Amino acid sequence: MFSEWFAPFICAGKELEIVSGYADGNFRPGNTLNKAEGMKILVHSLSVPSTLSSTILPHDVKRNEWYAPYVRRAVELNIIPWNERFDPGAGRDRADAGHPATPQKSS
């Protein structure tokens, strides 16, 4: 697995505490990255301290979801709008995963 194309990126992300894998500690790079997971990676990678106490979230993000703090921070940073649908479960391809705020491609 260390010879796979994604190995250095996962190792660097883990070392920088940007990614931690699934609850069991494993990484599954063959799985589709959803928008909520991508937003967590993006917000963690920015390392920008929160200065606002915004409670505004897109209407389809519940405050008690694990990804809500990352979406809230993305709203604070104007990465995503608060007044549009976020669609946290939308799958992303590798190109779109680079920018989690991009709209999902229609099939």
Side-chain angles (χ1 to χ4, degrees):
M1 176 137 128
F2 291 107
S3 63
E4 297 289 341
W5 69 267
F6 52 78
F9 302 103
I10 290 176
C11 290
K14 186 172 182 179
E15 188 172 316
L16 294 169
E17 298 181 358
I18 294 170
V19 296
S20 57
Y22 286 86
D24 63 5
N26 287 312
F27 291 88
R28 296 179 181 92
N31 286 6
T32 300
L33 184 72
N34 69 37
K35 206 168 177 183
E37 294 163 337
M39 191 58 63
K40 178 185 177 191
I41 292 169
L42 174 67
V43 170
H44 267 294
S45 69
L46 294 174
S47 300
V48 179
S50 182
T51 56
L52 304 173
S53 57
S54 173
T55 57
I56 298 173
L57 288 169
H59 65 87
D60 61 340
V61 175
K62 295 181 177 132
R63 297 185 192 294
N64 61 343
E65 292 290 347
W66 68 266
Y67 54 84
Y70 307 107
V71 173
R72 183 177 295 113
R73 188 69 182 114
V75 168
E76 290 173 359
L77 294 170
N78 292 316
I79 295 170
I80 60 169
W82 65 269
N83 59 349
E84 292 180 12
R85 182 183 162 116
F86 177 64
D87 199 10
R92 320 302 287 164
D93 62 21
R94 282 190 200 131
D96 289 340
H99 192 288
T102 58
Q104 182 180 14
K105 292 180 181 177
S106 50
S107 304

